[in-house]
Amino acid sequence: MSDYRILVTEDPTDICQESWDEVAGNSLHTSYNWQRFWTEAQAPTWPRSRTAMVLVYHGNKMVGHCGAYRYPYPLPLPSCWQRRIARSLLWPLNPVNFHKHPVVHPQADPDEVIPLLLDGVDQLRRRWLAPTARFVLLDRERDQLLFRYLEGKGYVFSPGITDTHLEVKWSSFQDYLQGAMKSKHRNYLARCYRRAIEAGTSFEVLSDPAAHSEQIISLLRNVADHNRSETLYASNFLQAAEQHLGRENIVVICAKVKGRIVACTINYRDHDKITQKSLGMDYGLSQSLNLYRLIIAEGIKYAIKHKIKSVGCGFSQYEIKRRLGLEQIETTTAIKTWPSGLAGVFAYRSGAMKVTSETSSVSKAVSKAST
């Protein structure tokens, strides 16, 4: 183990891109460019969101890494200034979050690298004086080895975010409508389309999203305000996305009413997968015309047209997504707190998750404490 060393840094330029991507493999969301993009895209709010990278080297060779995020809690307070004051006061309680599981070089020994990555997570937590480290969106089957080492390092497990997902197996949008949706939901969607089009609505995949960044960020802020939060994106995030990810991987689907953008989804394409990350809406028009439902359907239409095999739509609005044929995917959150015993306070879950009989007694206790 003496040949191994741990590096914790907040600056992506400290890292060799080629070495990072050699570990990450052929994935956009674990790539160096994704890390660069997300570091630059953080909104300049106070307290400011932070990103960091934990790396393990064997000699001079990078053999594992994971990316960390720390961002202010959304708080149910009525005005922006109240939320900012409360977030500033509560900032020391914010956890260090890991939205992607640690990645190990395919030629490295995960039994040696994973424990060191978790040691690096502890180092970062102490550096940031955070009370908690939290891994989200874990899959018990895929991440079996990681679960074993997380448990050994003192993490407890809670039912996590319920994700949504659609495997695309249709050659046309019409086939999707017939195969994925019940007739009553299909008919309702058709009525929504008809009503929206009669009101002057058109749907478009923006060829140059950065050219519309001011309108888009305004719609994203509307959603954040509606949820008594703030967008995590800086106003120039689309320019940063184009620079680091490439325009072909940024899919912004919008609804326009009489030529004005009133709803949009920000999606990122990763080879044969596409994931919706953010939603923007003008609530006055979008809700009355059911545009959220329609731009989700437009995202599926885009995937079918471009032969994309998988669509991820994140969490929230589960009933709408269920009616559109998306499947709910249960995930697990791993939590380590200092002092221990406070995991329930930091459980990260969404309302559609149901505790299964396979959940451990510790997980059930954490789940109960988080509701």
Side-chain angles (χ1 to χ4, degrees):
M1 299 294 286
S2 59
D3 291 337
Y4 288 91
R5 62 186 175 90
I6 300 169
L7 173 65
V8 178
T9 179
E10 296 183 49
D11 186 356
T13 62
D14 291 341
I15 302 166
C16 171
Q17 178 175 354
E18 183 178 353
S19 296
W20 178 283
D21 288 339
E22 189 178 337
V23 175
N26 193 27
S27 170
L28 178 73
H29 292 292
T30 55
S31 69
Y32 177 86
N33 282 333
W34 180 265
Q35 197 66 41
R36 282 293 301 270
F37 157 63
W38 196 245
T39 299
E40 294 184 18
Q42 297 298 299
T45 57
W46 182 258
R48 188 180 178 91
S49 300
R50 301 177 74 176
T51 63
M53 292 127 279
V54 178
L55 308 103
V56 173
Y57 288 84
H58 187 220
N60 293 322
K61 185 181 181 64
M62 190 187 302
V63 292
H65 58 61
C66 53
Y69 306 90
R70 196 182 192 196
Y71 41 80
Y73 278 121
L75 296 166
L77 298 172
S79 65
C80 181
W81 69 267
Q82 289 175 327
R83 293 195 297 271
R84 288 181 179 176
I85 291 174
R87 278 199 300 269
S88 298
L89 294 173
L90 293 175
W91 177 252
L93 300 179
N94 286 358
V96 181
N97 298 290
F98 294 84
H99 292 178
K100 302 294 178 184
H101 58 85
V103 183
V104 177
H105 193 288
Q107 297 177 0
D109 183 352
D111 286 306
E112 293 187 345
V113 176
I114 292 176
L116 293 172
L117 284 170
L118 297 180
D119 288 343
V121 170
D122 285 345
Q123 290 181 23
L124 176 62
R125 196 279 311 170
R126 290 192 294 268
R127 178 184 299 185
W128 280 355
L129 301 178
T132 304
R134 188 169 65 180
F135 288 85
V136 302
L137 295 170
L138 296 178
D139 182 297
R140 283 189 175 271
E141 182 175 348
R142 179 197 65 199
D143 303 318
Q144 288 182 28
L145 184 61
L146 176 60
F147 269 83
R148 176 156 61 87
Y149 283 112
L150 286 168
E151 187 171 12
K153 292 287 186 178
Y155 286 79
V156 297
F157 305 103
S158 165
I161 298 169
T162 303
D163 208 357
T164 54
H165 175 82
L166 180 70
E167 287 294 328
V168 179
K169 50 191 176 185
W170 305 276
S171 58
S172 71
F173 188 64
Q174 190 60 39
D175 287 344
Y176 151 73
L177 294 174
Q178 294 293 329
M181 300 178 65
K182 293 182 179 179
S183 60
K184 62 180 180 180
H185 302 323
R186 185 168 60 247
N187 293 336
Y188 181 70
L189 184 68
R191 291 197 300 272
C192 290
Y193 265 114
R194 185 166 56 250
R195 186 165 63 249
I197 291 169
E198 288 172 353
T201 305
S202 61
F203 300 93
E204 181 180 337
V205 179
L206 297 177
S207 59
D208 184 7
H212 305 273
S213 58
E214 188 173 334
Q215 295 169 278
I216 290 169
I217 199 70
S218 176
L219 294 174
L220 296 179
R221 287 172 179 157
N222 284 347
V223 173
D225 287 343
H226 182 79
N227 293 312
R228 296 185 174 182
S229 182
E230 289 189 23
T231 177
L232 299 178
Y233 283 125
S235 58
N236 66 337
F237 84 96
L238 286 169
Q239 290 84 348
E242 185 174 316
Q243 176 185 353
H244 295 296
L245 306 179
R247 186 177 293 179
E248 69 278 6
N249 293 322
I250 311 156
V251 182
V252 178
I253 299 171
C254 73
K256 294 182 177 179
V257 175
K258 297 179 180 178
R260 182 168 67 89
I261 299 175
V262 297
C264 64
T265 55
I266 316 297
N267 308 269
Y268 298 97
R269 182 172 180 173
D270 189 353
H271 302 286
D272 61 355
K273 301 177 182 179
I274 191 167
T275 304
Q276 176 190 307
K277 285 290 185 181
S278 302
L279 167 71
M281 293 181 69
D282 175 333
Y283 282 93
L285 285 169
S286 294
Q287 287 187 316
S288 61
L289 295 176
N290 229 321
L291 295 184
Y292 177 72
R293 184 187 306 264
L294 296 179
I295 57 175
I296 295 293
E298 289 294 306
I300 297 169
K301 184 186 293 184
Y302 174 92
I304 294 170
K305 178 180 178 181
H306 292 85
K307 303 187 185 308
I308 293 169
K309 296 180 181 179
S310 173
V311 176
C313 282
F315 51 98
S316 79
Q317 299 294 339
Y318 293 103
E319 184 60 22
I320 289 176
K321 293 171 184 175
R322 183 188 66 81
R323 293 180 179 186
L324 289 171
L326 278 85
E327 179 186 2
Q328 291 186 14
I329 306 297
E330 298 183 355
T331 72
T332 298
T333 299
I335 311 157
K336 184 178 181 179
T337 59
W338 295 267
S340 61
L342 298 177
V345 176
F346 296 97
Y348 190 3
R349 64 179 302 186
S350 52
M353 175 64 74
K354 297 194 186 322
V355 179
T356 68
S357 59
E358 298 176 351
T359 306
S360 70
S361 59
V362 171
S363 300
K364 290 179 179 178
V366 171
S367 174
K368 185 176 181 180
S370 68
T371 56

